Amino acid sequence: MAELILEAKNAGDWIYRGEGAANLILSYTGSSPRFVGKVLRVQKVKKNGINCEELSSALSVHECLLWKEDCDLLSAPTREIAEHLYVQHVMRPLLGSNHVDAGIRVLVSRDFLEALGKNILSQRPSWRVDDADVNTQCDYALLISDHSVFPQALHDGELSISVEIKPKCGFLPCSRYISEEHTIKRSMTRFKLHQTLKLLQKKIPQLSQYDPMDMFSGSKERILKSIKDLYSTPQNNFRVFLNGSLVFGSLGGGKYVTNVHNDKAFEDELKSVIEADDGTLTTCFLELVSEAVFRSGLLNRLLEVQKLDVFDIEGAIHAYYDVVSQPCVVCKKLGEDKLSGRYSSLHSLPLDGSLKIVKEYLISATAKDLSLMISFRTREKGDPKSPYNVIFHESTGQSFDYKVSFIDLDMKPLEKMIYYYELDQKILRCYTKMMETIKPPENSAKVEEKT
């Protein structure tokens, strides 16, 4: 679609769907067959002028070394194009071509992007507006299938309901490079640890009940528990769409929930899809979602990609400094000798060994940060044979087509390794401080005995 250019006159056909740290998602409301059933993914730029997911307009010299085996990425003239090729040639083979849609690049004019930014301004969460704008310097946007709906309707008035889940990291690290004071990482998930920092920063109103270890357990019962926990405390990790429109969850993610968590209103929305008694519709829907997650088996595949992070950021950061040919700042802070200290085995690796560690860490970071979109539509007796997987819901007696897709497969910039390390340290400092305030002083019991 490179010959097609979206211009200012087209901006009114696109409405705000949501956004993440780096991109805005717009839904199409017009009638052009080229765009029906599609969403547009548009890059953002920080108010300080730095792109949200990039620090330069093309791959850096060191990033070219990192992705040298993926020749298509190296030939990309801009980072925008490289990121698109990353999804096609790196993430798609790892997660399965049937479940990853890399999308199509479409040309966008500056006037289109400026008009778009003005049109959606009032619909965006205020803290997102304060943080970033539409990047009007981009030449392309990404046109992707709207995974919240089915491409062809089975019959008139067909409804589809979909859920977007951020499963997060599903394993506990066991790297020998995790320092002694950070052993909590071996027994508590990164998601749970990060919650304490987010609560302190007032980014969330309460700690989430969700534990990724339940979601990735392979147990039907624990998967159902994880879905119920996400529903109870959705934050920006659980959203539900009815025919492409948000009916439950946070619109823009992050600090503020812009769509109120209302159990009764959600039950009313479900009546058009789920055939069950009042008061049981939500439970039936969550059971349906849980069954689809279990049957798809895709979390096993996702977990394999996440586990490419073998060394944890506490090990991978040392490989990063060798890749960029800089003195290791971490060793210096820790007072370690780069050549004889505990990290000397990492710093003694040949360059290809360091590149492999960093590359696999960044791929794993994509896998830890993506979303899973599961879409359902009801099947009637006499409907043609389905090209999709089918679930029979025993509680309602209904059959559903379902499909599962991975979305938000962002390529992580090499420079972000420093951010990942610093965030990890901040999370652990916050958790340690919190535990110190909770734990009674060691000598308090002995003092009481003496008195």
Side-chain angles (χ1 to χ4, degrees):
M1 286 198 185
E3 76 284 353
L4 179 69
I5 302 178
L6 289 172
E7 297 174 330
K9 63 182 180 182
N10 307 117
D13 292 334
W14 297 92
I15 60 170
Y16 183 76
R17 163 72 72 84
E19 61 189 287
N23 299 281
L24 287 148
I25 303 295
L26 297 308
S27 297
Y28 185 65
T29 60
S31 56
S32 170
R34 291 183 174 188
F35 300 121
V36 171
K38 305 285 185 185
V39 294
L40 196 67
R41 181 171 160 138
V42 177
Q43 271 193 4
K44 301 197 301 188
V45 64
K46 293 278 189 184
K47 285 285 174 80
N48 62 13
I50 298 174
N51 242 13
C52 296
E53 276 291 1
E54 63 182 80
L55 300 176
S56 61
S57 59
L59 294 185
S60 68
V61 172
H62 296 115
E63 282 176 318
C64 287
L65 274 176
L66 198 69
W67 303 108
K68 63 185 176 185
E69 293 171 14
D70 303 280
C71 299
D72 290 316
L73 266 70
L74 298 192
S75 63
T78 67
R79 185 177 288 267
E80 282 177 86
I81 294 172
E83 288 176 348
H84 180 228
L85 294 170
Y86 170 79
V87 177
Q88 274 185 315
H89 299 293
V90 179
M91 297 310 300
R92 205 170 179 217
L94 289 170
L95 295 172
S97 57
N98 292 336
H99 306 287
V100 175
D101 174 19
I104 300 167
R105 293 192 309 275
V106 291
L107 283 166
V108 287
S109 70
R110 183 168 183 167
D111 289 344
F112 170 79
L113 294 171
E114 287 176 349
L116 197 65
K118 290 175 185 174
N119 291 350
I120 65 173
L121 191 62
S122 63
Q123 297 155 40
R124 297 177 62 200
S126 58
W127 74 277
R128 290 285 196 195
V129 173
D130 294 341
D131 182 60
D133 291 321
V134 172
N135 187 352
T136 57
Q137 301 302 313
C138 287
D139 295 320
Y140 295 96
L142 207 57
L143 192 67
I144 309 168
S145 295
D146 185 349
H147 295 296
S148 68
V149 296
F150 284 80
Q152 286 94 27
L154 280 173
H155 36 71
D156 292 340
E158 174 184 288
L159 292 173
S160 62
I161 191 164
S162 58
V163 58
E164 181 184 339
I165 296 169
K166 287 185 179 292
K168 301 297 183 178
C169 180
F171 72 97
L172 297 172
C174 56
S175 168
R176 68 188 181 96
Y177 296 107
I178 295 172
S179 65
E180 287 81 2
E181 59 266 34
H182 297 158
T183 52
I184 186 63
K185 290 163 79 169
R186 301 177 191 273
S187 57
M188 183 178 284
T189 62
R190 166 57 178 263
F191 176 78
K192 286 282 191 184
L193 289 168
H194 200 173
Q195 285 282 299
T196 60
L197 177 62
K198 287 185 173 182
L199 188 68
L200 181 71
Q201 294 172 331
K202 295 183 168 54
K203 288 185 175 180
I204 54 173
Q206 66 185 109
L207 295 174
S208 174
Q209 297 173 32
Y210 172 64
D211 187 340
M213 297 298 283
D214 291 327
M215 179 72 82
F216 285 87
S217 67
S219 157
K220 271 191 178 185
E221 292 75 19
R222 289 181 67 186
I223 291 171
L224 178 57
K225 178 187 182 301
S226 72
I227 299 297
K228 287 180 175 178
D229 289 342
L230 282 169
Y231 172 76
S232 298
T233 46
Q235 297 180 5
N236 66 328
N237 303 314
F238 188 85
R239 305 196 297 166
V240 182
F241 299 87
L242 185 62
N243 273 12
S245 297
L246 185 74
V247 293
F248 180 86
S250 170
L251 193 61
K255 293 182 186 174
Y256 307 113
V257 174
T258 52
N259 199 56
V260 177
H261 182 162
N262 187 318
D263 293 342
K264 179 65 171 64
F266 186 55
E267 281 261 325
D268 289 342
E269 295 284 3
L270 291 175
K271 286 178 182 177
S272 58
V273 182
I274 305 290
E275 295 173 2
D277 295 333
D278 286 354
T280 67
L281 283 89
T282 300
T283 300
C284 289
F285 174 68
L286 298 179
E287 288 172 352
L288 181 66
V289 173
S290 173
E291 185 68 18
V293 170
F294 178 77
R295 285 201 193 185
S296 74
L298 286 179
L299 288 185
N300 296 332
R301 191 159 187 170
L302 176 60
L303 189 59
E304 286 178 20
V305 182
Q306 291 184 352
K307 285 185 173 181
L308 289 173
D309 170 18
V310 176
F311 294 86
D312 187 74
I313 189 61
E314 291 191 56
I317 190 66
H318 297 274
Y320 163 77
Y321 280 109
D322 288 338
V323 166
V324 296
S325 303
Q326 291 179 10
C328 183
V329 174
V330 176
C331 281
K332 186 178 179 182
K333 280 184 181 176
L334 294 174
E336 294 275 353
D337 187 308
K338 184 174 170 180
L339 298 179
S340 62
R342 65 178 295 183
Y343 303 103
S344 59
S345 58
L346 288 170
H347 288 297
S348 302
L349 289 171
L351 180 58
D352 279 352
S354 301
L355 287 166
K356 183 175 187 291
I357 291 171
V358 175
K359 178 180 177 178
E360 290 184 346
Y361 183 88
L362 292 173
I363 292 171
S364 170
T366 296
K368 293 172 188 174
D369 206 28
L370 55 69
S371 293
L372 200 65
M373 184 73 87
I374 310 171
S375 303
F376 305 90
R377 67 176 175 190
T378 54
R379 292 189 60 78
E380 307 292 341
K381 287 180 182 177
D383 281 345
K385 188 177 179 182
S386 177
Y388 300 98
N389 292 311
V390 179
I391 287 179
F392 177 73
H393 196 303
E394 291 185 10
S395 301
T396 68
Q398 293 173 278
S399 292
F400 295 86
D401 282 341
Y402 77 98
K403 59 174 183 158
V404 187
S405 306
F406 292 111
I407 60 173
D408 299 338
L409 305 171
D410 297 324
M411 180 183 186
K412 307 301 182 184
L414 176 60
E415 294 93 334
K416 207 165 184 183
M417 290 293 290
I418 297 171
Y419 165 81
Y420 287 135
Y421 179 75
E422 290 175 348
L423 177 61
D424 186 67
Q425 299 299 297
K426 190 185 290 186
I427 287 169
L428 291 160
R429 282 196 303 271
C430 175
Y431 181 80
T432 304
K433 189 176 179 181
M434 184 193 75
M435 292 309 293
E436 286 172 355
T437 60
I438 294 172
K439 193 168 62 174
E442 287 182 18
N443 297 326
S444 60
K446 295 178 182 176
V447 171
E448 283 176 17
E449 283 175 16
K450 288 180 180 179
T451 57

